[in-house]
Structure formats: structure tokens, C-alpha cells
Amino acid sequence: MTSESNARHDRLGEPAARATAGVPLHLLVGRRAPGGPAPTLRGEPKGDAPRPLVTAGFGEPVALPAPFGLVLGTGEFPVG
């Protein structure tokens, strides 16, 4: 979950580092995303660029693919 002080790093720096390391999936819960609060699942990295796979608004379910194979409810995520 991002915070005001590190939101930019969480959206840009960390996903690039995880992609470079070969981490297959990265879920970012962005309370301060540019379009409003949103969880974003990124994966299928190429080099240092993970691809956004799923973006949803808070309150919408997020389906996590294998190996997790579950639906994450976001209705209780804090907005402020």
C-alpha cells in the first residue's frame, strides 16, 4: 500500500526493480494513484518494465491469477 511520502517510488522504482529481478507478479495498492485509489496487478516483465495486467477501483474485486488463484476483495481498503 502506497503512502504519500513514497507513492512515486512505489509506482515507478519498485516495479522496475521487481521486473529486473524476475518477480512474476506485483500487486500495488495505490491509495494516491493518478486516477484515484486503485489496486494494480503488474506482471509478465520484460527487462525493467512490468505490464499492467489488472487495475480496479477500490471496492471492486481483483482476480489474482495462478499461482494464487483467488479474488481479492478491496471494499475494506482505506482511501485516506
Side-chain angles (χ1 to χ4, degrees):
M1 189 158 291
T2 62
S3 69
E4 193 170 350
S5 65
N6 68 353
R8 180 175 168 78
H9 174 73
D10 290 346
R11 281 195 302 274
L12 302 174
E14 284 189 21
R18 288 188 173 118
T20 301
V23 175
L25 296 172
H26 171 233
L27 180 65
L28 175 69
V29 180
R31 296 185 305 165
R32 290 166 178 78
T40 301
L41 178 66
R42 295 176 179 172
E44 301 175 5
K46 290 186 179 181
D48 68 350
R51 188 168 74 92
L53 303 176
V54 176
T55 298
F58 276 21
E60 298 175 19
V62 177
L64 302 178
F68 305 104
L70 60 90
V71 175
L72 177 67
T74 65
E76 299 294 321
F77 285 6
V79 175

